[in-house]
């Protein structure tokens, strides 16, 4: 991720990794949920919202959040093709996240003009991205790929790389990731329990988001 966030009254931070300690990873099944869900997350202190391209309504959800939720910095996750890059940016996505990367996808992300987090899970992938001038990455699937031990081992030989670990992270494990010098934030969905979303209990989502927003290294509040 080499470009700053687009200028707006809602986003002046130069990196998605610095917006909040946790980036909610959102799967929107019902378009009607997109805006109230995003409002609850923003109210709880989590402005960077990754909407994954895993459902038919994902593009419309990004468009709705971008247009109707002040304070939200909505991004697109599970971006896996160059064509998707153009589609999500046109819909209003202000950052891009991929589970992995190819040369073609990386070129499209770079050309998009918005920040991006290409996914890595091996040292070779990290080194390859550094060679391309990319220093901010998604580490995925975090727990399955080695967790905090793996990232800690990368910090000494590759201190220039920064990560947003995603995949299997919980409120209990998040502080351990955030304690690492090469971790800017973590991605997770625990603040969006399925029963709360199904019941449209946005007050509960906001409360869980507020707890997540206060996480820091060692489990203390920021």
């Amino acid at each position: 991720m080499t470009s700053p966030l687009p200028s707006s009254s809602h986003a002046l931070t130069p990196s998605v990794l610095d917006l909040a300690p946790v980036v909610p990873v959102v799967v929107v099944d019902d378009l009607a949920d997109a805006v109230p869900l995003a409002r609850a997350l923003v109210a709880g202190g989590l402005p960077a919202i990754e909407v994954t391209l895993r459902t038919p309504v994902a593009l419309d959800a990004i468009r709705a959040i971008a247009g109707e939720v002040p304070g939200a910095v909505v991004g697109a996750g599970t971006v896996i093709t160059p064509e998707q890059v153009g589609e999500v940016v046109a819909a209003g996505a202000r950052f891009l996240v991929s589970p992995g990367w190819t040369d073609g996808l990386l070129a499209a992300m770079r050309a998009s003009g918005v920040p991006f987090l290409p996914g890595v899970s091996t040292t070779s992938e990290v080194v390859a991205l550094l060679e391309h001038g990319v220093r901010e990455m998604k580490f995925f699937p975090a727990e399955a790929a080695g967790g905090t031990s793996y990232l800690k081992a990368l910090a000494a030989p590759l201190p220039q790389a920064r990560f947003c670990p995603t995949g299997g992270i919980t409120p209990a494990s998040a502080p351990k990731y955030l304690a690492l010098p090469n971790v800017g934030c973590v991605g997770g969905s625990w603040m969006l329990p399925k029963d709360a979303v199904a019941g449209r209990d946005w007050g509960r989502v906001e409360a869980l988001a507020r707890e997540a927003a206060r996480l820091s290294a060692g489990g203390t509040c920021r």
Side-chain angles (χ1 to χ4, degrees), residues 11 48 68 79 107:
E68 300 180 41
V79 177

Side-chain angles (χ1 to χ4, degrees), residues 1 5 16 23 48-50 73-76 93-97 114-115:
M1 180 157 50
L5 285 171
V16 175
V23 175
I49 301 170
E50 176 188 336
V73 180
V74 63
R94 291 165 61 188
F95 65 92
L96 312 171
V97 184
V114 302

Side-chain angles (χ1 to χ4, degrees), residues 104-178:
L105 179 58
L106 184 64
M109 287 181 152
R110 193 189 296 276
S112 71
V114 302
F116 55 93
L117 292 171
V120 297
S121 60
T122 69
T123 305
S124 294
E125 291 170 332
V126 175
V127 171
L129 282 179
L130 291 173
E131 189 175 272
H132 282 287
V134 178
R135 296 188 174 189
E136 297 189 350
M137 313 166 194
K138 172 179 179 174
F139 180 60
F140 176 84
E143 287 291 286
T148 55
S149 297
Y150 195 96
L151 287 175
K152 185 176 181 179
L154 290 182
L158 302 171
Q160 63 271 57
R162 293 182 74 210
F163 301 95
C164 174
T166 304
I169 297 176
T170 67
S173 63
K176 300 174 184 177
Y177 282 94
L178 294 168

